[in-house]
Amino acid sequence: MSDSRLALANLLFPNLPHTPESLEILYPPRNASVVTRVGPSPTGFLHIGTVYTALLSERIAHLNGWVFYIRNEDTDDKREIENAAHIMVDGIRKFGIQIDEGGIGPDHSDMGSYGPYSQSKRGAIYQAYVKELVVRGMAYPCFLSEEESTTIREEQTIAKQPLGIYGSYSPWRVATLEEVQTALLEGKKYVLRFRTHGNPSKRVNLHDEIRGDIEMQDNFMDTVLLKQTGIPTYHLAHVADDHLMRTTHVMRGDEWIASYPLHIQLTEALGFTPPKYIHIAPLCKLEGGNKRKLSKRKDPEANVEFFFEQGYTIEALVDYMLGIMDSGYEAWRLENPDADYKTYPLSIEKLPLSGALFDREKLNSIANNFLTKLSTEELQKRGLEWARKYDRELAKLMELSPELTYNALDIERHTEKDPRRFTVFSDLRDQLQFFYEETFESLKSSVPTLPECITPEIQRAFVEDYLKAYDPTMDRDTWFEQLKTIAHAHKFARTGEEWKTGEYHGRVGDIAMMLRLLLCASAKTPDLCYTMRVLGRETMERRLKG
Ligand code: GLU
């Protein structure tokens, strides 16, 4: 070990509480064969892709023995938002994903023996490793100013060289201890860079558990490890944390493949055993015939809050995501419609290698299946929970008239003709609004016009006869026969033949439409016979005559 390197390391990092050796003792290897994690950055925005990664990582850990933890990757000081880490933890847990360690304790305190689980609280750990690298000649302080870096980039552009700080383009790579001391005394700002031994003409073979061997150019950049603020870059934090937290499988977005050679170099430089890597293809959508990553900026559905607001059930979202991860899942689900997804032996072998399309139609069909199967009691209960948060007015009405709500929701459910009216909880408003007086009143202001053939006189006369004859205990067929008979008596054709004779004002369908519009102020209602039953005679009279 060179004395000047040791002197430099002590100059830069005097009095650190840890050394790499003491850290090994503090965070011993775990007694678990699989340790996975998710490392969201606390942006206050929970990306559906983060939930996808968390679900996958949790499943793989819990199916194979044992730990899944969450790490708060708050190293981007600019992006930080208050409480954002809590939003991440709470959002992920809302999906029923069981997190074993991380900020999951009371008031989001850390739980687990491998913390702290927020990178911002791990400064002394990162410093211990960088200090070690400085001692070993594998890291150095770089005092380049913005302007100097720009000049270097310009030179590289002219010389058609890769842009960045490396080799002969890095003056501080070869600085003496005295030069560093002078710069420090002058109060110059600096970052700590990795001093790589990588070679641009060398190819390296890296292994990915789903992609196999990947051949890549070796890393030859002296990448920043600690920023001017002392905050680590993702690269250092990832290598240090996943080592100390004893992660066995790193599942992360495939945008990190590009830095994989650097991560392996850093891992080797620090004498760690690398974890297994699984680079996950992002969730995509089609735009103008082209596939592109779901974008936080452009796509509302990138944010899980979008799905909560719409009222997608967690069960549907989870089933949908598992189906993307493992093509065997869908068939299993068909055979085991009521089984807990946690009993499915999910594996990483079938993970898609290129971006899977986030297919809303598919999701909707799963969501519809789920709500269709749910009991009406459960639909009402969960629908109300959703409405309390996302549609307060509806929640109030549901609470005021629980029986009416139940009956309205229950129309034709679980019958052979079940119209499967509910895909998401926000469908409840469309399906319930004409049953409540309050919302019916506001619907009435925009009621579509009645069929032209129905004059006020015809309407009055028909309604009078109809109400006299109406009997809520009639079965649906009898009800319909009766409607036809009364309509016929008022000169509405029951068949095409009759209509062709020209002796009728209109057809029975016009009468049914009139009833629908008068009763519900909407052309789209559940089956009219059952709707009438739920509304009851009193409401029918008021609406038909009003
Ligand atoms: N914080 C990183 C990100 O948000 C996590 C990557 C990883 O899982 O290592 O992309």
Side-chain angles (χ1 to χ4, degrees), residues 1-10 131-138 175-177 195:
M1 182 194 309
S2 123
D3 286 349
S4 68
R5 289 202 305 248
L6 186 60
L8 175 60
N10 285 327
K131 182 172 186 179
E132 172 76 7
L133 289 175
V134 171
V135 171
R136 305 228 307 266
M138 301 198 70
T176 61
L177 179 61
R195 184 185 270 115

Side-chain angles (χ1 to χ4, degrees), residues 330-348:
E330 227 179 303
W332 175 85
R333 179 47 91 204
L334 275 177
E335 273 176 34
N336 304 277
D338 301 316
D340 182 346
Y341 73 86
K342 293 190 173 166
T343 60
Y344 177 72
L346 188 80
S347 85
I348 53 169

Side-chain angles (χ1 to χ4, degrees), residues 37 39-41 73 234 250-252 255-256:
R37 84 311 190 254
S41 299
E73 305 217 329
Y234 167 77
V250 167
M251 303 190 197
R252 61 180 181 182
E255 71 271 22
W256 294 113

